[in-house]
Amino acid sequence: MRLVVVSAGLSVPSSTRLLGDRLAAATAERTDAEVQVVELRDLAVEIAHHLTNGFPGPRLSSALDAVTAADGLIVVTPVFSASYSGLFKSFFDVLDRDALAGKPVLVAATGGTARHSLVLEHALRPLFAYLRAIVVPTAVYAASEDWGAEGLAGRVERAAGELAGLMGGLRGGLRGGASESVSESVSESVSESASESESELTSASSSEPVLRGTGAALPDVVPFAQQLAALSPSRGA
C-alpha cells in the first residue's frame, strides 16, 4: 500500500513536517505501507505557475500523481489567520477534483496556541468532505505546548489506527466488490418496493375500497352539511 504525507510546513526544521512524520510512522506500523512525503514548500513556485497557466511543472506533476495513486493520505498544515495556509489550499486547488473521491484522509494541523485547534473542524474537515474524501474521525492538532505531552501521543495513535483500518478495508474491496454488492442490494430493494406498490395499486382499484394494511372496508362518507344539520337543534324546539 502507498501512504502519502502532504506537509505545508515552511520552516526547516518544521513542526508540521514532524507531526506528519509521527502520524505516518504510526500508520505504517499497522499497514506496512510505503510512505512518501510531499513537501509543498519545495513546490510553491510550480503551484503558482500552474494556477496562472494551467500546466504543472515536472515536480508538481509527480506530487499530484502520487496523491492521486495513494491508498491513504495524511495532510498537515500550519495555522495561518485561523485557517489552513494559502500554499496548502493552492495545492488542493490544482489537484483534479475527483482525485480524492473515496480516499481515506487524516487531517492534522500545527499552531502556536491551542485556541486554533478548531481549524480542524471548521476548515480542514469541510474542505476534504467537499473533495469527497473519507476523513477519519480523529483529527490531530499540535500546539507548541503539546510536544512531549502525553495527550498528543494518544491522539496520534488513535488517528493512525483509524486511517490504517480504512486503508485496509478499502484495499480489501470496499472500493470495488463491496460497492457492487451494495448496488445490487439497492437494486433488489427498489424492485421489491416497486412490486409492493403494484400490489397496493391493484388492491386499491378493486370494486370495494380497502384501507391499506387492514383489509377493512372504508366507511360511508357523510356530507358535512348533513352532519351539521343533525347536530343543530330543531327549529320547533
Side-chain angles (χ1 to χ4, degrees), residues 22-191:
R22 288 194 179 185
L23 290 166
T27 304
E29 288 178 358
R30 295 167 167 82
T31 61
D32 294 327
E34 179 182 348
V35 179
Q36 179 178 349
V37 179
V38 174
E39 284 277 11
L40 299 187
R41 178 186 64 248
D42 301 330
L43 303 174
V45 174
E46 291 191 19
I47 292 173
H49 287 168
H50 188 12
L51 288 171
T52 55
N53 60 29
F55 296 98
R59 298 177 67 185
L60 176 58
S61 180
S62 177
L64 295 174
D65 290 343
V67 170
T68 301
D71 296 295
L73 199 63
I74 296 173
V75 297
V76 195
T77 178
V79 175
F80 289 166
S81 300
S83 187
Y84 38 66
S85 71
L87 180 60
F88 180 87
K89 179 61 164 58
S90 296
F91 176 77
F92 290 100
D93 282 342
V94 300
L95 186 68
D96 185 87
R97 64 178 183 177
D98 296 323
L100 300 186
K103 193 184 301 295
V105 175
L106 192 165
V107 297
T110 58
T113 172
R115 291 179 297 175
H116 292 305
S117 60
L118 286 178
V119 69
L120 297 168
E121 305 302 327
H122 72 69
L124 283 170
R125 196 177 294 275
L127 170 63
F128 289 95
Y130 172 78
L131 295 173
R132 295 178 292 149
I134 303 174
V135 184
V136 303
T138 301
V140 181
Y141 179 85
S144 299
E145 62 268 22
D146 288 328
W147 296 105
E150 295 180 0
L152 177 60
R155 294 196 301 275
V156 166
E157 291 296 323
R158 184 168 64 249
E162 293 169 355
L163 179 60
L166 281 174
M167 290 174 63
L170 293 177
R171 184 79 170 186
L174 288 181
R175 287 181 179 175
S179 61
E180 293 175 359
S181 299
V182 171
S183 299
E184 292 175 358
S185 299
V186 171
S187 299
E188 292 175 359
S189 299
V190 171
S191 300

